[in-house]
Amino acid sequence: QVQLVESGGGLVQPGGSLRLSCAASGSGFSIYRMGWYRQAPGKQRELVAAITRVGSTNYADSVKGRFTISRDNAKNTVYLQMNSLKPEDTAVYYCNASPPPWVDADFGSWGQGTQVTVSS
């Protein structure tokens, strides 16, 4: 497993932007499926965005058009650019690294989470 450290969370106003970063230490980053998940109080953890080793992406319907996931394999880092933030985006955001055979995120590594709060 790799060690993941998220950063970039904070308090922003509705309509604002944040960029989350997830730095991975260890080997094998380039072949991991990377994902961002979030969990709001009283709600289940949900997939926000994921990106494969070759750059294919998928997003939750609630964030399509607003969020962009990307990865820099040379830096062992995955990013989540969040634009047009809404109060319902408020959650703890977790980074996940899923190794082959890429079956389930719970078989991989998780970061400690970073809080994103969208409020006036």
Side-chain angles (χ1 to χ4, degrees):
Q1 295 184 337
V2 298
Q3 181 178 353
L4 305 174
V5 179
E6 302 99 332
S7 62
L11 173 64
V12 297
Q13 295 183 346
S17 297
L18 283 173
R19 190 175 83 153
L20 306 183
S21 298
C22 173
S25 61
S27 62
F29 175 84
S30 64
I31 65 171
Y32 280 45
R33 177 177 60 84
M34 302 298 299
W36 287 97
Y37 295 72
R38 68 186 182 188
Q39 187 167 26
K43 298 181 65 177
Q44 296 182 356
R45 185 174 63 195
E46 65 174 344
L47 173 69
V48 177
I51 185 167
T52 72
R53 61 176 178 171
V54 297
S56 298
T57 59
N58 62 78
Y59 299 90
D61 288 342
S62 60
V63 307
K64 286 181 179 177
R66 300 188 298 120
F67 291 9
T68 302
I69 188 171
S70 61
R71 66 191 298 163
D72 187 337
N73 288 340
K75 296 181 178 180
N76 284 6
T77 302
V78 63
Y79 306 95
L80 185 67
Q81 179 67 46
M82 305 186 294
N83 298 325
S84 302
L85 283 161
K86 304 175 180 179
E88 50 263 46
D89 295 318
T90 296
V92 178
Y93 284 69
Y94 298 92
C95 182
N96 172 265
S98 179
W102 312 290
V103 174
D104 192 292
D106 288 335
F107 296 153
S109 299
W110 294 90
Q112 82 289 344
T114 185
Q115 176 71 47
V116 172
T117 302
V118 185
S119 176
S120 298

